[in-house]
mmCIF file of all heavy atoms in Angstrom:
data_model
loop_
_atom_site.group_PDB
_atom_site.id
_atom_site.type_symbol
_atom_site.label_atom_id
_atom_site.label_comp_id
_atom_site.label_asym_id
_atom_site.label_seq_id
_atom_site.Cartn_x
_atom_site.Cartn_y
_atom_site.Cartn_z
ATOM 1 N N VAL Z 15 -1.009 10.779 14.620
ATOM 2 C CA VAL Z 15 -0.663 9.611 15.493
ATOM 3 C C VAL Z 15 0.275 10.121 16.586
ATOM 4 O O VAL Z 15 0.187 9.742 17.799
ATOM 5 C CB VAL Z 15 0.065 8.522 14.723
ATOM 6 C CG1 VAL Z 15 0.671 7.496 15.603
ATOM 7 C CG2 VAL Z 15 -0.954 7.867 13.779
ATOM 8 N N MET Z 16 1.302 10.943 16.296
ATOM 9 C CA MET Z 16 2.311 11.304 17.245
ATOM 10 C C MET Z 16 1.632 12.301 18.306
ATOM 11 O O MET Z 16 2.136 12.277 19.434
ATOM 12 C CB MET Z 16 3.438 12.034 16.594
ATOM 13 C CG MET Z 16 4.288 11.085 15.820
ATOM 14 S SD MET Z 16 4.800 9.662 16.604
ATOM 15 C CE MET Z 16 5.811 10.297 17.984
ATOM 16 N N GLU Z 17 0.581 13.028 17.933
ATOM 17 C CA GLU Z 17 -0.183 13.812 18.978
ATOM 18 C C GLU Z 17 -0.678 13.012 20.150
ATOM 19 O O GLU Z 17 -0.461 13.476 21.220
ATOM 20 C CB GLU Z 17 -1.222 14.633 18.318
ATOM 21 C CG GLU Z 17 -2.035 15.519 19.138
ATOM 22 C CD GLU Z 17 -1.166 16.737 19.636
ATOM 23 O OE1 GLU Z 17 -0.225 17.205 18.913
ATOM 24 O OE2 GLU Z 17 -1.498 17.240 20.679
ATOM 25 N N SER Z 18 -1.114 11.805 19.883
ATOM 26 C CA SER Z 18 -1.566 10.916 20.936
ATOM 27 C C SER Z 18 -0.414 10.447 21.723
ATOM 28 O O SER Z 18 -0.759 9.874 22.820
ATOM 29 C CB SER Z 18 -2.546 9.812 20.499
ATOM 30 O OG SER Z 18 -1.772 8.956 19.611
ATOM 31 N N PHE Z 19 0.794 10.575 21.362
ATOM 32 C CA PHE Z 19 1.950 10.041 22.155
ATOM 33 C C PHE Z 19 2.795 11.098 22.628
ATOM 34 O O PHE Z 19 3.946 10.936 23.076
ATOM 35 C CB PHE Z 19 2.804 9.078 21.267
ATOM 36 C CG PHE Z 19 2.127 7.766 20.921
ATOM 37 C CD1 PHE Z 19 1.569 7.546 19.706
ATOM 38 C CD2 PHE Z 19 2.080 6.803 21.858
ATOM 39 C CE1 PHE Z 19 0.869 6.305 19.438
ATOM 40 C CE2 PHE Z 19 1.473 5.552 21.601
ATOM 41 C CZ PHE Z 19 0.850 5.352 20.453
ATOM 42 N N LYS Z 20 2.206 12.261 22.746
ATOM 43 C CA LYS Z 20 2.884 13.436 23.298
ATOM 44 C C LYS Z 20 3.027 13.306 24.773
ATOM 45 O O LYS Z 20 2.162 12.790 25.431
ATOM 46 C CB LYS Z 20 2.119 14.773 22.979
ATOM 47 C CG LYS Z 20 2.791 16.000 23.393
ATOM 48 C CD LYS Z 20 2.004 17.171 22.829
ATOM 49 C CE LYS Z 20 0.736 17.332 23.587
ATOM 50 N NZ LYS Z 20 -0.114 18.538 23.355
ATOM 51 N N GLU Z 21 4.273 13.572 25.277
ATOM 52 C CA GLU Z 21 4.426 13.623 26.872
ATOM 53 C C GLU Z 21 3.428 14.366 27.587
ATOM 54 O O GLU Z 21 3.093 15.425 27.078
ATOM 55 C CB GLU Z 21 5.826 13.933 27.208
ATOM 56 C CG GLU Z 21 6.670 12.788 27.147
ATOM 57 C CD GLU Z 21 8.087 12.991 27.846
ATOM 58 O OE1 GLU Z 21 8.144 13.615 28.921
ATOM 59 O OE2 GLU Z 21 9.093 12.761 27.162
ATOM 60 N N ILE Z 22 2.990 13.928 28.724
ATOM 61 C CA ILE Z 22 2.043 14.613 29.538
ATOM 62 C C ILE Z 22 2.819 15.221 30.703
ATOM 63 O O ILE Z 22 4.064 14.968 30.972
ATOM 64 C CB ILE Z 22 1.021 13.609 30.167
ATOM 65 C CG1 ILE Z 22 1.652 12.523 30.925
ATOM 66 C CG2 ILE Z 22 0.126 13.118 28.974
ATOM 67 C CD1 ILE Z 22 0.726 11.722 31.760
ATOM 68 N N ASP Z 23 2.067 16.167 31.357
ATOM 69 C CA ASP Z 23 2.772 16.920 32.513
ATOM 70 C C ASP Z 23 2.083 16.349 33.792
ATOM 71 O O ASP Z 23 0.928 16.359 33.963
ATOM 72 C CB ASP Z 23 2.425 18.367 32.537
ATOM 73 C CG ASP Z 23 3.049 19.196 33.585
ATOM 74 O OD1 ASP Z 23 3.710 18.502 34.490
ATOM 75 O OD2 ASP Z 23 2.976 20.393 33.761
ATOM 76 N N TYR Z 24 2.862 15.482 34.540
ATOM 77 C CA TYR Z 24 2.481 14.678 35.667
ATOM 78 C C TYR Z 24 1.770 15.658 36.606
ATOM 79 O O TYR Z 24 0.766 15.195 37.332
ATOM 80 C CB TYR Z 24 3.689 14.073 36.360
ATOM 81 C CG TYR Z 24 3.371 13.310 37.670
ATOM 82 C CD1 TYR Z 24 2.931 12.038 37.617
ATOM 83 C CD2 TYR Z 24 3.489 13.881 38.869
ATOM 84 C CE1 TYR Z 24 2.645 11.293 38.653
ATOM 85 C CE2 TYR Z 24 3.255 13.328 40.005
ATOM 86 C CZ TYR Z 24 2.765 11.878 39.946
ATOM 87 O OH TYR Z 24 2.600 11.264 41.062
ATOM 88 N N LYS Z 25 2.109 16.853 36.819
ATOM 89 C CA LYS Z 25 1.593 17.752 37.798
ATOM 90 C C LYS Z 25 0.138 18.123 37.430
ATOM 91 O O LYS Z 25 -0.641 18.503 38.369
ATOM 92 C CB LYS Z 25 2.424 19.016 37.907
ATOM 93 C CG LYS Z 25 3.837 18.851 38.468
ATOM 94 C CD LYS Z 25 4.719 20.033 38.444
ATOM 95 C CE LYS Z 25 6.043 19.700 38.914
ATOM 96 N NZ LYS Z 25 6.929 20.732 38.752
ATOM 97 N N GLU Z 26 -0.174 17.945 36.153
ATOM 98 C CA GLU Z 26 -1.552 18.387 35.784
ATOM 99 C C GLU Z 26 -2.534 17.223 35.841
ATOM 100 O O GLU Z 26 -3.824 17.368 35.660
ATOM 101 C CB GLU Z 26 -1.496 18.861 34.288
ATOM 102 C CG GLU Z 26 -0.756 20.172 34.112
ATOM 103 C CD GLU Z 26 -0.837 20.703 32.826
ATOM 104 O OE1 GLU Z 26 -1.472 20.050 31.910
ATOM 105 O OE2 GLU Z 26 -0.088 21.619 32.562
ATOM 106 N N LEU Z 27 -2.064 16.032 36.287
ATOM 107 C CA LEU Z 27 -2.915 14.828 36.384
ATOM 108 C C LEU Z 27 -3.716 14.939 37.735
ATOM 109 O O LEU Z 27 -3.352 15.511 38.755
ATOM 110 C CB LEU Z 27 -2.132 13.579 36.441
ATOM 111 C CG LEU Z 27 -1.334 13.261 35.260
ATOM 112 C CD1 LEU Z 27 -0.515 12.054 35.457
ATOM 113 C CD2 LEU Z 27 -2.152 13.114 33.935
#
Side-chain angles (χ1 to χ4, degrees):
V15 169
M16 291 312 292
E17 182 66 26
S18 66
F19 289 102
K20 186 172 71 173
E21 273 195 46
I22 59 169
D23 184 357
Y24 177 83
K25 295 175 187 172
E26 293 179 8
L27 299 177

